[in-house]
Amino acid sequence: MFDAYLKYSWVFSFPDPAKVSLTIAGSSFLESTSALGRIQTKMSVAVETGKDNDTRIWAQTLMRWGGVYPSNGAWLQNNQNGLASTLQKNARLLDASANDANTSTISRMNSGMTKIYSLLADDFIIYDTRVAAALTWIIRCYCEEQGLSEVPVDLGFPVGKAKESPNAEEPKCRNPSKNDLTF
């Protein structure tokens, strides 16, 4: 895990909505942590105070950081009215410490939206095919070390396919299934 931390690289660049002339950019874990901390502070205040426009601006900024703006920016714009309360309600539903979590009422859930909820809900992680691949690989290693012949039901969650060109020379492998250890 520490080696993965040392090799962390997420290249990002986005204009700071609070300081239009400032561009926030980086690629290291610490630079991402700093950028996300700033976005989290601003977006949390906007959500808590019910400021839909500010909520949209900071949510779209987060989508730019995450590289998922094209598939989420328009949705945030089109759903700006009531956005703060919607995100606040959804974050409460996803809060791991809440006993009454019910994800069936969440209006939109994709890898981009998990970025928002990871900043608004306690103990909720960004979840995309890269994260699923890493987690399922760890689970597979655990199963192999324990001599398990199949993945325990509670750990056998689905793994999606990576987005990539249909003509990719080296297709991304995001599913670590092996023999009967399947996800």
Side-chain angles (χ1 to χ4, degrees), residues 10-119:
W10 182 255
V11 178
F12 64 90
S13 177
F14 58 85
D16 186 330
K19 299 177 183 173
V20 180
S21 62
L22 178 66
T23 296
I24 298 175
S27 63
S28 73
F29 183 85
L30 292 177
E31 290 165 330
S32 277
T33 300
S34 176
L36 290 173
R38 177 160 174 66
I39 294 169
Q40 180 179 32
T41 298
K42 297 292 189 177
M43 187 168 51
S44 294
V45 168
V47 167
E48 289 169 16
T49 57
K51 295 182 178 174
D52 290 334
N53 187 56
D54 290 350
T55 298
R56 176 194 52 81
I57 288 169
W58 287 102
Q60 286 178 325
T61 299
L62 178 60
M63 298 300 171
R64 286 184 177 94
W65 168 86
V68 292
Y69 181 84
S71 59
N72 293 284
W75 185 89
L76 291 165
Q77 181 72 44
N78 294 336
N79 291 277
Q80 179 175 308
N81 288 345
L83 184 61
S85 64
T86 296
L87 295 182
Q88 188 173 50
K89 177 189 74 125
N90 290 347
R92 274 196 303 264
L93 290 170
L94 294 168
D95 189 330
S97 65
N99 293 329
D100 60 345
N102 178 359
T103 58
S104 65
T105 60
I106 293 176
S107 56
R108 180 175 174 90
M109 179 60 79
N110 61 26
S111 67
M113 296 304 286
T114 69
K115 291 166 180 47
I116 292 173
Y117 301 132
S118 75
L119 298 184

